[in-house]
């Protein structure tokens, strides 16, 4: 029994758009708390562990201000620029009131990185200059900042800001690529849907149009022919509705469809076994069609069989539309161990006149031929379509079959 995915490989694309958090979102989470604690611990270690090296005594006020400078990091993702501004104020207050050696603290580095991640170069530049200034602001020390202190402060601030801007740029490019791939997937799915609709609608409506014309022409003098034409017309309409319903079921695959709720079995997808019906429909529409099958077509995979059916269906429709309803058509299906070949050839006009198809209609650029070419390309096969020498038109496709594991 066929599944809906065999009728139309459908891709469900979910787009993620990065947007500012709404008002109902939490201000901070566990990761933010761990980061704030880690930054505070690193700054406290640097302040308290080496007083004999730095020559700066440890004070309770310094410990308190260093801890307080890490608290704004809790909301750094929600308000990155505001957090950086508050951090600059706290660090400046620390350096103005407590003797602290020149240092670029962990809390200040995290705040500057978060501000740079916003992707606003002008704001990042201003805050970077501010970070360098408050780092060198230490009036309580006996000696002013030296060249090494200034260089290290500038280098540290610039590296942190550059890292934030680079990561922001990389994420923007990644998001742009993701959206591009999503758009391509949507476009590919739309092409597949259009291909399926074209195959179903064009063939069935062409058959129904020809049968209705034949019934009208024989309405007065041959009721039997009219009866047969109306029966075929009804059957073509029923099949068209069924295939359209299956296609719509694929498009609504993410929903609970009526068939799924009631447990109704799905109709099998057409395949090589249904080629006889296509040929019979063409014959009833007044087109002399003949089918030749070489090899065992029953062993073809379902998706390959569906492709073969659609190629023959579209080729017969094109023959009726462009070559005429009375032009003989030869359908040949050859099944080999390594692949399957299918060809549909019409012989052109039967009265000896030169074959002259509609300009541009069978040059290889029509939607039907494009759909057949895309179907064959999905299986890694080859497709040919073109005029024959003298008269006629030929559509041929070759589809490879995968070799089962262990067989060579």
């Amino acid at each position: 029994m066929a599944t809906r995915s065999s009728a139309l490989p459908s891709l469900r694309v979910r787009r993620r758009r990065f947007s500012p958090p709404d008002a109902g979102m939490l201000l901070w989470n566990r990761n933010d708390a761990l980061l704030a604690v880690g930054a505070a611990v690193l700054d406290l270690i640097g302040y308290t562990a080496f007083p004999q090296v730095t020559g700066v005594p440890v004070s309770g006020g310094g410990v308190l201000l260093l801890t307080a400078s890490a608290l704004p990091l809790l909301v750094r993702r929600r308000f990155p620029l505001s957090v950086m501004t508050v951090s600059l104020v706290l660090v400046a207050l620390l350096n103005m009131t407590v003797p602290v050696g020149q240092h670029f603290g962990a809390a200040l580095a995290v705040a500057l990185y978060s501000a740079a991640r916003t992707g606003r170069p002008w704001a990042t530049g201003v805050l970077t200059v501010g970070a360098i200034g408050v780092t060198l602001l230490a009036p309580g020390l006996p000696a002013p900042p030296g060249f090494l202190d200034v260089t290290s402060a500038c280098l540290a601030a610039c590296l942190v800001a550059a890292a934030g801007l680079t990561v922001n740029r990389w994420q923007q490019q990644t998001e742009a690529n993701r959206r591009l791939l999503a758009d391509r997937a949507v476009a590919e799915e739309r092409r597949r849907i259009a291909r399926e609709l074209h195959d179903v609608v064009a063939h069935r409506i062409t058959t129904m149009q020809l049968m209705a014309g034949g019934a009208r022409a024989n309405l007065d003098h041959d009721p039997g022919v009219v009866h047969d034409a109306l029966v075929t017309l009804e059957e073509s309409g029923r099949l068209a509705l069924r295939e359209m319903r299956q296609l719509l079921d694929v498009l609504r695959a993410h929903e609970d469809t009526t068939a799924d709720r009631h447990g109704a079995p799905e109709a099998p997808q057409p395949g090589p076994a249904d080629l006889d019906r296509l040929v019979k429909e063409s014959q009833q529409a007044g087109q002399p069609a003949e089918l030749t099958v070489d090899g065992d077509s029953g062993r073809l995979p379902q998706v390959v069989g569906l492709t073969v059916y659609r190629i023959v269906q579209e080729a017969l429709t094109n023959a009726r539309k462009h070559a005429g309803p009375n032009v003989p058509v030869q359908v040949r299906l050859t099944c080999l161990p390594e692949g399957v070949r299918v060809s549909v050839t019409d012989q052109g006009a039967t009265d000896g006149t030169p074959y002259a198809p509609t300009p541009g209609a069978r040059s290889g650029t029509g939607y039907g031929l494009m759909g057949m070419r895309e179907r064959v390309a999905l299986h890694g096969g080859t497709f040919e379509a073109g005029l024959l020498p003298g008269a006629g038109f030929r559509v041929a496709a070759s589809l490879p079959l995968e070799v089962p594991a262990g067989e060579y």
Side-chain angles (χ1 to χ4, degrees):
M1 191 66 68
T3 61
R4 281 195 291 265
S5 59
S6 62
L8 176 64
S10 179
L11 298 175
R12 302 191 191 101
V13 180
R14 296 181 179 179
R15 299 187 181 185
R16 293 182 58 192
R17 298 178 182 267
F18 290 96
S19 59
D22 54 24
M25 191 175 182
L26 292 177
L27 291 178
W28 56 276
N29 55 27
R30 184 180 62 179
N31 293 334
D32 297 326
L34 292 176
L35 182 62
V37 171
V41 169
L42 288 178
D43 285 342
L44 289 175
I45 291 176
Y47 176 63
T48 61
F50 308 103
Q52 66 278 9
V53 176
T54 60
V56 178
V58 177
S59 66
V63 172
L64 183 60
L65 286 175
L66 280 175
T67 305
S69 64
L71 291 178
L73 298 181
L74 291 173
V75 293
R76 64 182 183 86
R77 292 190 298 175
R78 185 77 181 272
F79 310 104
L81 297 180
S82 299
V83 167
M84 181 58 188
T85 303
V86 173
S87 296
L88 289 178
V89 173
L90 291 176
V91 173
L93 181 62
L94 172 67
N95 291 340
M96 291 292 293
T97 58
V98 179
V100 180
Q102 284 87 15
H103 71 289
F104 198 89
L108 187 61
V110 173
L112 179 58
Y113 175 82
S114 301
R117 284 289 308 278
T118 60
R120 301 177 182 177
W122 65 270
T124 302
V126 172
L127 294 176
T128 301
V129 174
I132 296 173
V134 299
T135 301
L136 300 176
L137 183 62
L141 294 179
F147 175 78
L148 184 61
D149 295 328
V150 175
T151 303
S152 61
C154 294
L155 183 61
C158 292
L159 286 178
V160 172
L165 292 174
T166 301
V167 172
N168 179 73
R169 179 62 177 173
W170 173 79
Q171 284 196 338
Q172 288 180 345
Q173 292 179 347
T174 302
E175 177 64 16
N177 293 335
R178 185 184 296 112
R179 291 183 180 179
L180 179 61
L181 292 176
D183 291 340
R184 288 180 179 176
V186 171
E188 177 63 23
E189 185 175 13
R190 295 175 68 176
R191 284 196 297 270
R192 293 177 182 179
I193 295 172
R195 184 171 61 236
E196 290 290 336
L197 286 174
H198 180 276
D199 291 344
V200 172
V201 174
H203 175 77
R204 297 300 176 194
I205 290 183
T206 300
T207 301
M208 295 167 67
Q209 178 185 7
L210 293 175
M211 297 307 298
R216 178 182 55 80
N218 294 277
L219 185 60
D220 296 332
H221 57 276
D222 198 340
V225 173
V226 175
H227 178 270
D228 294 339
L230 292 177
V231 170
T232 304
L233 184 63
E234 180 184 6
E235 179 64 20
S236 296
R238 184 182 299 111
L239 291 176
L241 287 176
R242 190 189 72 181
E243 294 186 8
M244 288 287 291
R245 187 177 296 111
Q246 291 176 349
L247 180 60
L248 293 176
D249 286 343
V250 172
L251 299 181
R252 295 194 302 261
H254 63 285
E255 301 175 357
D256 293 329
T257 59
T258 303
D260 292 335
R261 287 196 297 267
H262 295 283
E266 301 173 7
Q269 292 302 308
D274 299 289
L275 294 181
D276 286 332
R277 175 166 52 81
L278 286 178
V279 172
K280 182 179 179 181
E281 291 177 355
S282 296
Q283 293 172 348
Q284 292 175 340
Q287 185 178 54
E290 181 182 353
L291 173 64
T292 303
V293 179
D294 298 326
D296 183 14
S297 62
R299 68 179 184 86
L300 296 180
Q302 188 176 28
V303 64
V304 175
L306 176 62
T307 300
V308 170
Y309 177 88
R310 293 302 189 196
I311 291 174
V312 175
Q313 182 185 50
E314 179 61 28
L316 290 176
T317 302
N318 286 344
R320 287 197 295 269
K321 290 170 57 179
H322 304 298
N326 298 320
V327 174
V329 179
Q330 175 67 40
V331 180
R332 177 176 293 275
L333 179 64
T334 304
C335 301
L336 302 174
E338 67 277 6
V340 58
R341 293 198 298 265
V342 60
S343 64
V344 180
T345 307
D346 63 65
Q347 301 176 8
T350 57
D351 56 0
T353 58
Y355 180 67
T358 303
R362 305 184 72 180
S363 61
T365 59
Y367 290 113
L369 294 177
M370 290 174 58
M372 287 188 281
R373 185 173 288 107
E374 289 177 357
R375 288 182 183 276
V376 174
L378 289 176
H379 297 280
T382 58
F383 177 80
E384 297 178 357
L387 297 172
L388 298 176
F393 193 88
R394 181 172 183 266
V395 172
S398 178
L399 303 174
L401 299 179
E402 295 182 358
V403 179
E407 298 184 9
Y408 299 92

